[in-house]
Structures are given as C-alpha cells and as structure tokens.
Amino acid sequence: MPAPDDRRWDSETDLLVVGAGAAGMTAALVAALEGLRVILCEKSDTVGGTTATSAGSVWIPGSRQSEAAGVADTIEAAKSYLAGVLREPAFDDRLSAYLASGPAVLDYLEQRTSVVFAPPPVHPDYRNLPGAAKGGRALAAVPFDGRLLGPDFDRVRPPRREFMVLGGMMVGKTDIPALLAPFRSWGNFRHAFGLLARQARDRLSYARGTRLIMGNALVGRLLHDLRQRAVDIRYRTALKDLVTVGDEIVGAVLTTPTGELALRARKGVVLATGGIGWSNELRERLLPDNARRYSLSPESNTGDGILAGERASAEIECELESPALWMPSSIMTQSDGHLSVFPHIMLDRAKPGLLAVDASGRRFVNEADSYHDFVQAMLRSNRSPASVLAYLICDRRFIRDYGIGLVHPGTRDLSRFVEAGYLHEGRSIAELAAKIGVDGEALTHTIERYNRYAETGIDEEFGRGTSELNRFNGDPANRPNPCLRRLGPGPYCAVAVWPTDLASSAGLRTDARGRVLRPGDGVLKGLYAVGTDAASIFKGTYPGPGTMIGPAIVFAWRAAMDAAGVLDNFSMPSD
Ligand SMILES: Cc1cc2nc3c(=O)[nH]c(=O)nc-3n(C[C@H](O)[C@H](O)[C@H](O)COP(=O)(O)OP(=O)(O)OC[C@H]3O[C@@H](n4cnc5c(N)ncnc54)[C@H](O)[C@@H]3O)c2cc1C
C-alpha cells in the first residue's frame, strides 16, 4: 500500500522529464507519441545539452538503415566484438535489451518522427578486435535545416565555438577537403561555394548558420517534433528534488523563474540531466584526481539527476573500467577572455608526422587510437596531478598540411598561439624540450625512433597505423603508412593536452526498462534514469562512435514506452 499522498501539488502531469538532451528529448517525444501528457523541464534557456555539441552518432548494430545503405552489420558480429571489449561478464539484461531493441527504436523514430539516421560508409569501431565493424554500425544524424524551427531556432544550444567558422557555420569532416582546396575539383568548388553562400544568407537573418549537422541536427529534429506534438517544454526550470511518498517517487520540486513548483507526475519522473558534469562533489568522489579540472559538459550539467537519485536512495554504479569517457583537449584563453577547450577528436592525432609524449619526453600510446584510449593511457602514464599533461609534437610542415587543435591547416602566422601559451615552438628539439620542460635527450631519442618507423612504415612500439580507425583518420596519400611521416628539420612545435570528460559512465544503477534500482536490486518505483544519468551499459569502455547517444536514445524510448505501459507490446528476446 503506498502511503497517502497528502502533499499540496501546484500542478500535475503524466510524465515529468528532467533535462533536454538526446535522452530527455527522446523520452518526452516518445511518451507524447504514446499518448502521455508530458512536461519536459530544462535548466538552461536552450535545449540540447552536451548532445548539441556532439558529433551526434549512434552505435546501433544490425539496423535496417545500414542494410539499406549497403553496409550491413549483424548483432551477432557486434556481440563477438563486445565480448572482446568488455571481457567477462559481458552480457547483462541491459546490454541484451539494448542490442535487441536498437534497430526497432531506429525504425520507430523513422516511421513516427523526423528523427532519422544514416550510416556513413566508413566509420570504424574503436578497438581492433574480432567482430569490429568498419562501417554500418555507427549511424549519423541526418542534417537538418534550422530554419524549419522558426523562432525556436534560438532555443537550440549552439555547437562548441571552436568547431564553427565564419561567424557560426558548422563544419563536418566531409566539408573540410572542399573548404581547404575549393579549386582542386569541380565537386570541391560546388560544395564549398554552396556552404559559403548559405552561410552568407544565414548571417543576414540568424545569429549563426542554420545548416545543422551532427549533434545539432539531432537536437534540431527532436525540438521540431516536440513542438509539433505540442509538448510542454519549460525552460530555466530545474529539478530541485524528487518527492517520495512511501517507497515511490510521485513527483518533483522544480525551481522556475517565478519560484518553486511542486509537480505531481502520475506515471513517473525521468532523470536525464547529463550525468556528473561539473558537479564538484561527484567529480571528487568519482573521477581520478588528475582528470577533474576540465570537462566538455555544458555549464548547466551539474550532476543534479544523479545526486537527486542518490538522495532518494538510489545507488551509483562505480564498478566500471572508467568512471568517465575522455577526450584529450588543448586549452587556450582567447583575447576576449573565452576559455577554448578544444577536443582532439580526429583531425590531427592520427595524421602522419605527429607524436605524443608524456612528461618524461617518451611516447606512451598509439596516438591514432580513440580519444578515450589515448586519455586512458595518459592517465596511466601520468599518475601524479602535477604531471598530467601530454604534449602533441609536430613540425611546421604538419601544421601547414593538417593544422593542430585550434591552429587551422595552412596557418602561417603562429604568433597569436605562441603568445597565448597555446603553441610552443623551438628551432631544435632541444630548444622545444626546454620550453615545455621535458628531458631534451629523451625527446630527441623519441623523435629519432619515430622517424625510423616512418621510413619502414612500422611503428614497432605502438602499432600506429595498423587499425581501421587509425587509417580512417590518417592521410591515405601518405605512404607507406598513412599515420607515420618523418618530423624535421625544425622548427618543432608542441601543444599541451589535458584529460577532459566528454561523458560520464558512472551513473545511477538501472534495469533494462530504464527504471532506477535501489541497492539490492529492488526497483525504485516511479523513477527512471536515462542518458548519462544512468550507468554505462558498456561498463565504462568505449567500443565505438555513438556508444553514448545510442544507449541514451534506446533507453529513453524503453523508459517512455514502459511509463506508457506499452513496452511489452514490443516483444524482444530479452524482455
Ligand atoms: C565533443 C563531443 C562529441 C561527442 N560525440 C558523440 C557522438 O558522436 N556519439 C555519442 O554517442 N556520444 C558523443 N558524445 C557524448 C554525448 O554527447 C553525451 O554522452 C550525450 O549527448 C549525453 O546526452 P544526455 O541527454 O544524457 O545529456 P545532455 O545532452 O548533456 O543533456 C542534459 C540536459 O539536462 C539539463 N539539466 C541539467 N541539470 C538539470 C536540472 N537540474 N533540471 C533540468 N534540466 C537539467 C542540461 O542543461 C542539459 O540540457 C560527445 C561528447 C562531446 C563533448
């Protein structure tokens, strides 16, 4: 018998969804499609959270979309890959439910909403293991025309400033060759001209470009559909605390621009506030001490969902390979005071002619591996907070050809970056080593060895260039190895990189329906956690592109369907 609910409510709804990133927006949209009355509350004045600043890929094995695009993938192959990534015990209920329902979720969204994904022909998994996919497993959000949102366009959180050019134009990986060499071919010219003309037009009427790609396209599409379904979105409205009656969550107290609001939620509350984020308390408890300083989370992600869940007797799952997923980022304070945190995702680390060293001046990792594996190696190699940095090292020719971090390819005048302390330059290796405080002799030997590997094409220490992922992000024109080229003669350059969390993997323990669990496995009735508020189904590993937003969307769907009482109509092998 639930305890009597004698509280005075200001308002009520069926489902309260807290946080408007991929997870919260999907949960709200699906619940509305299934006939529930939904309130989606968002702490900031924009939707999108981290999702809007992401690449927007989803990792969903065995989809119909991949088969239709001629890059078929199977769940069986993904399972054997995951068995290698996760080791034992690999397949719990949540992971099985994810694999079983992922393709159905993509179809549901495609049939009933404008949220569509398409697989690029090549987008390799992150680990070189049996069953790894070269393409077809990761799907990208299809670009979206932000003009379709009308005035709501301003409600979409913009991408990271560092990833836009020309006053707010988004640039994807496939745009870069055309923009760098518009006259190399007619195709390049047409593509570059199209982008620039659109941007010029957009600037007359909008604060930034309206051609939305990657995570911004996904968020734009979700917002478009939420508006079409007339879902009640409350901006600047934050979860303060959950309300429990007996052993059940029955609603929440929200802070709004006009004061507090006690909201009853008849079918439950969905936590989707974006994980650990900037919460000092959670960062200190959960993250290694040499990786707490910078985060790629938006400032409004402050661990609210996880902390509220804990206060309501839920538990955080911490037995994971890593409590967060990482990217190495370089940091620069711009002349207007803006702190640029630039994640080195795929544009420079794998290109031939770059290497990374730790504080000892020695290489510690295959630099072309995934950003997460790079930082995991960095954390292992620099255990003390004082020596947390790694340096990316290259020469001027590398910067001309590929750019490094915030320094775009072809940049000739590096003085702005040098003066800001972002780029370090030395005419010789010894001079560079002295400037960055690493052992000159060690750095010289490291570069000499790297140069020998560049001649043979074989990296005898770390196997740079041996995986699909390495080669995908390398330079196919560079022989014999697309990821290895001699450095020198000087000048030599270095950029420091720091561990930055792109997502948390520690989060609330949930079941295959997205329901939050109490210690000892009982369900905490009325409470769901999705996206990064829930613990990673991949146990803190990073199998491939899209392994955060994929589960965010699939478990948001499962939670919403469960709240609407229709999840079991979709019979999946694992339910
Ligand atoms: C550069 C970059 C690229 C990435 N690329 C990919 C990718 O391609 N594929 C992938 O799978 N993952 C990617 N990730 C990770 C991925 O973006 C995140 O894991 C995912 O978007 C998290 O989604 P979410 O819905 O859980 O949270 P978020 O998208 O962060 O949304 C959380 C929302 O909750 C709001 N909120 C916070 N507190 C409250 C509160 N108290 N009340 C109300 N609202 C609140 C926040 O303001 C925010 O809008 C990337 C990350 C980065 C940084």
Side-chain angles (χ1 to χ4, degrees):
M1 268 287 279
D5 177 4
D6 51 10
R7 189 187 174 96
R8 288 194 30 204
W9 299 101
D10 298 313
S11 180
E12 61 181 89
T13 187
D14 290 333
L15 193 69
L16 169 65
V17 181
V18 186
M25 295 174 89
T26 305
L29 179 59
V30 172
L33 285 165
E34 295 303 325
L36 298 190
R37 267 186 61 202
V38 183
I39 291 179
L40 171 60
C41 76
E42 166 53 47
K43 186 176 182 178
S44 68
D45 50 19
T46 53
V47 294
T50 323
T51 312
T53 67
S54 77
S57 305
V58 294
W59 191 88
I60 298 194
S63 70
R64 196 186 43 75
Q65 291 74 5
S66 294
E67 193 175 353
V71 276
D73 172 42
T74 65
I75 293 180
E76 282 318 305
K79 276 186 174 170
S80 70
Y81 173 63
L82 285 174
V85 176
L86 297 170
R87 294 180 231 112
E88 289 300 314
F91 294 95
D92 60 14
D93 285 359
R94 289 204 308 152
L95 185 50
S96 302
Y98 177 66
L99 293 172
S101 48
V105 174
L106 287 180
D107 285 346
Y108 177 102
L109 292 173
E110 193 168 294
Q111 282 154 19
R112 304 202 46 191
T113 75
S114 69
V115 182
V116 279
F117 296 92
V122 182
H123 205 171
D125 279 339
Y126 286 171
R127 307 291 299 280
N128 209 9
L129 290 168
K134 185 175 172 188
R137 204 168 279 169
L139 296 95
V142 172
F144 181 66
D145 185 345
R147 292 173 296 196
L148 297 174
L149 290 169
D152 278 335
F153 176 59
D154 291 337
R155 290 293 191 181
V156 178
R157 182 183 285 276
R160 302 187 73 76
R161 176 165 135 175
E162 297 74 31
F163 288 163
M164 294 189 289
V165 297
L166 302 174
M169 180 171 98
M170 293 193 75
V171 177
K173 187 174 178 180
T174 50
D175 300 325
I176 294 172
L179 288 170
L180 288 179
F183 301 112
R184 186 166 292 163
S185 68
W186 170 237
N188 274 16
F189 179 77
R190 209 175 39 199
H191 188 66
F193 182 78
L195 291 178
L196 298 176
R198 165 86 181 259
Q199 178 64 8
R201 268 201 318 274
D202 279 350
R203 284 316 303 270
L204 299 176
S205 319
Y206 299 92
R208 65 182 176 98
T210 59
R211 172 186 170 260
L212 305 187
I213 54 175
M214 302 188 282
N216 235 250
L218 172 58
V219 169
R221 286 177 179 277
L222 284 164
L223 180 58
H224 175 262
D225 283 45
L226 286 163
R227 301 309 291 148
Q228 283 214 324
R229 305 295 310 181
V231 171
D232 184 355
I233 306 177
R234 310 249 176 117
Y235 294 97
R236 295 173 62 210
T237 298
L239 172 73
K240 184 175 177 215
D241 227 336
L242 297 164
V243 178
T244 311
V245 172
D247 59 359
E248 190 172 341
I249 303 299
V250 293
V253 176
L254 306 174
T255 51
T256 81
T258 53
E260 286 193 358
L261 182 87
L263 185 80
R264 178 164 176 240
R266 289 180 291 260
K267 303 279 183 189
V269 177
V270 180
L271 299 174
T273 69
I276 296 171
W278 289 100
S279 161
N280 281 336
E281 182 187 337
L282 292 173
R283 293 180 84 77
E284 280 188 16
R285 262 163 61 192
L286 300 171
L287 304 192
D289 59 0
N290 49 5
R292 292 179 190 154
R293 185 160 167 184
Y294 299 108
S295 174
L296 292 163
S297 295
E299 62 298 334
S300 55
N301 288 16
T302 51
D304 302 357
I306 295 180
L307 290 166
E310 256 197 326
R311 285 194 297 276
S313 86
E315 120 181 286
I316 299 180
E317 186 172 330
C318 304
E319 280 167 26
L320 305 166
E321 188 178 289
S322 167
L325 304 175
W326 313 104
M327 285 172 175
S329 296
S330 51
I331 315 288
M332 174 170 152
T333 305
Q334 302 285 355
S335 51
D336 63 359
H338 171 77
L339 186 76
S340 282
V341 178
F342 183 94
H344 294 249
I345 303 175
M346 44 78 185
L347 294 179
D348 50 23
R349 280 183 301 110
K351 295 288 187 291
L354 175 142
L355 56 97
V357 296
D358 65 11
S360 73
R362 295 179 181 84
R363 287 176 73 208
F364 58 93
V365 70
N366 175 346
E367 301 87 348
D369 276 353
S370 84
Y371 33 83
H372 176 72
D373 289 338
F374 181 101
V375 174
Q376 286 283 77
M378 196 169 155
L379 294 173
R380 280 194 298 271
S381 132
N382 288 300
R383 290 204 181 273
S384 118
S387 64
V388 73
L389 295 181
Y391 284 99
L392 305 181
I393 310 278
C394 64
D395 57 15
R396 280 262 188 155
R397 182 177 160 216
F398 182 93
I399 294 183
R400 185 197 66 199
D401 291 348
Y402 309 115
I404 185 165
L406 290 163
V407 189
H408 292 157
T411 308
R412 284 172 199 278
D413 180 5
L414 301 177
S415 55
R416 177 165 87 83
F417 300 99
V418 173
E419 279 156 26
Y422 178 77
L423 188 86
H424 307 271
E425 206 177 15
R427 277 161 304 176
S428 64
I429 299 175
E431 190 179 305
L432 180 70
K435 283 196 178 159
I436 61 177
V438 307
D439 184 288
E441 221 171 296
L443 187 61
T444 305
H445 286 143
T446 301
I447 293 179
E448 281 171 1
R449 265 201 306 277
Y450 182 94
N451 283 346
R452 281 204 301 277
Y453 303 153
E455 299 303 327
T456 61
I458 297 168
D459 172 5
E460 291 167 22
E461 286 165 282
F462 297 101
R464 198 176 151 88
T466 50
S467 72
E468 285 294 348
L469 176 70
N470 287 186
R471 290 190 292 275
F472 176 61
N473 288 325
D475 180 350
N478 189 76
R479 301 276 159 75
N481 184 324
C483 302
L484 284 169
R485 179 169 90 183
R486 277 188 76 83
L487 271 79
Y492 298 89
C493 305
V495 168
V497 285
W498 296 78
T500 48
D501 46 299
L502 72 114
S504 37
S505 37
L508 297 173
R509 221 155 59 79
T510 55
D511 70 4
R513 292 169 182 267
R515 297 177 302 189
V516 172
L517 297 174
R518 296 174 186 283
D521 268 10
V523 168
L524 181 45
K525 275 203 237 147
L527 189 64
Y528 298 89
V530 292
T532 33
D533 279 356
S536 147
I537 58 169
F538 300 113
K539 307 284 177 209
T541 64
Y542 209 144
T547 44
M548 292 310 297
I549 300 178
I553 284 178
V554 169
F555 283 99
W557 179 88
R558 291 183 68 84
M561 298 294 274
D562 187 66
V566 292
L567 181 60
D568 295 326
N569 299 352
F570 281 77
S571 63
M572 312 289 171
S574 54
D575 282 340

